[in-house]
Amino acid sequence: MGSSPQVVDWNSDGKMDIISGDRNGYFNVFIADDFDMTGYKMFKMMDSTVLDVGYNSQPAAVDWNGDGMKDLMLGTQDGLIRLYRNQASDSWPMFQTYDTVCAGGTPGVPINLYRSNPYVFDLDRDSVLDLICGANDGYIRFYRNTGSNETPELAAAETLKLLNGTPIRAPGSYYGSRCGFGYWDADTLPDFLLSAFDGTVALYRGALLTGVEEGRPVPVRLALQVGPNPFTTHAVIHCESTAGAELVVCDGVGRVVRHLGVTSGRSEQAWDGRNDMGTRVNSGVYFCRLTGSGQTASARIVLSR
């Protein structure tokens, strides 16, 4: 297992950087400027010692405790997942100690998946971040967050399956699976990419809304249009629904950053690029999401300051 890159605005300057684990267990950061990238290989902790998980590190950068600063999750060769909490700032995260991520309720037991590959995403779309994890055996485990973004509490693992009940598995089982979640198409259901050690990449399209009961009435029409796109200061969101529907803005991992209220019929709502606390959010890709009567419409929007 070699490098495992993730694109993220590490220093919160509006430019997308790259973070990466590696076979030797180190964590690396590559900062983009206007012309090149500056590498911080073998990233160091606050006491200047190298951040080293032993072998085969797999990073996921996310604000895991809801304090507005990026934290770092690292999958490891030995199967545990380490959570390094940010002890500096969102513009340059720094770490010293780590906690082992647990699941199964309180107090929970450490997650232990050989060659763990964590990914953080709101898979059940309840505005609370969940943990999804690939591993050496090729299967994908879903750890539902039954707590909150500020105090996460992970339920026991569920193995992701196809509609026919077949567990999803990367081709072969040698060195396992890595996954990345998002919205690939325009149907507003979460999709994901699954890769295997042999280089195969498969796309799995979402087919069901988690938690939506069969037979619930749906609106005749639920639609969104956004402009300008990209935008710098304000975007206008054109909404259409035949029943009351809630409009929110979500970040790239599905977490709600701004609630824009309930709308019905045809209406226009403005988003000024701020979260619910009134703080300007970072440049990047966001999703406007309109939800009501069992249906959801979504529109991708890019904020470029």
Side-chain angles (χ1 to χ4, degrees):
M1 188 177 295
S3 62
S4 46
Q6 181 185 127
V7 177
V8 62
D9 184 3
W10 184 255
N11 59 348
S12 302
D13 65 351
K15 300 182 179 69
M16 300 311 291
D17 311 305
I18 296 174
I19 62 174
S20 177
D22 62 34
R23 186 181 297 276
N24 295 317
Y26 301 127
F27 172 65
N28 311 289
V29 177
F30 300 88
I31 300 297
D33 58 28
D34 292 332
F35 305 102
D36 205 347
M37 301 195 82
T38 302
Y40 295 84
K41 298 180 181 179
M42 299 174 63
F43 194 84
K44 294 182 178 180
M45 295 193 290
M46 296 182 72
D47 65 358
S48 297
T49 58
V50 173
L51 200 165
D52 180 6
V53 302
Y55 203 62
N56 282 335
S57 59
Q58 171 74 25
V62 63
D63 178 10
W64 186 243
N65 56 0
D67 63 358
M69 299 192 299
K70 288 181 287 291
D71 305 304
L72 178 66
M73 267 190 195
L74 281 175
T76 66
Q77 168 86 0
D78 63 14
L80 301 179
I81 299 176
R82 297 185 181 188
L83 171 63
Y84 292 85
R85 300 182 188 276
N86 189 350
Q87 299 182 34
S89 69
D90 195 52
S91 59
W92 194 259
M94 291 293 293
F95 319 99
Q96 187 56 48
T97 60
Y98 69 87
D99 297 316
T100 300
V101 179
C102 296
T106 303
V109 296
I111 295 173
N112 194 346
L113 298 170
Y114 186 53
R115 291 194 175 100
S116 55
N117 298 311
Y119 196 91
V120 178
F121 185 78
D122 180 14
L123 184 57
D124 57 4
R125 307 204 311 173
D126 61 355
S127 299
V128 179
L129 295 178
D130 308 301
L131 176 65
I132 306 102
C133 198
N136 188 74
D137 61 8
Y139 294 105
I140 306 296
R141 275 81 169 187
F142 168 48
Y143 297 90
R144 191 186 306 271
N145 186 355
T146 58
S148 65
N149 287 322
E150 293 75 21
T151 55
E153 183 174 313
L154 300 178
E158 305 171 47
T159 300
L160 294 189
K161 300 178 180 179
L162 300 175
L163 286 176
N164 64 9
T166 303
I168 296 172
R169 192 184 192 191
S173 61
Y174 184 58
Y175 287 174
S177 53
R178 290 175 179 163
C179 53
F181 287 76
Y183 296 91
W184 186 265
D185 46 34
D187 67 0
T188 75
L189 297 172
D191 312 300
F192 77 95
L193 293 169
L194 176 62
S195 67
F197 184 76
D198 65 0
T200 303
V201 179
L203 169 64
Y204 289 83
R205 298 181 187 272
L208 289 175
L209 286 171
T210 302
V212 175
E213 300 173 3
E214 294 183 2
R216 289 179 63 181
V218 298
V220 175
R221 180 169 176 78
L222 201 63
L224 280 178
Q225 287 185 328
V226 183
N229 195 5
F231 79 103
T232 56
T233 57
H234 289 80
V236 178
I237 306 167
H238 303 271
C239 308
E240 183 177 348
S241 74
T242 56
E246 183 183 18
L247 178 63
V248 298
V249 179
C250 303
D251 61 17
V253 296
R255 178 176 52 193
V256 175
V257 298
R258 182 69 177 270
H259 293 81
L260 293 174
V262 176
T263 182
S264 182
R266 293 184 177 181
S267 64
E268 294 182 354
Q269 303 289 332
W271 183 42
D272 58 3
R274 297 178 183 271
N275 60 22
D276 283 334
M277 302 298 294
T279 303
R280 295 174 65 186
V281 300
N282 294 329
S283 297
V285 176
Y286 294 85
F287 293 88
C288 303
R289 194 168 72 196
L290 187 65
T291 303
S293 299
Q295 276 195 352
T296 299
S298 180
R300 182 176 182 270
I301 186 169
V302 177
L303 172 58
S304 178
R305 298 197 185 279

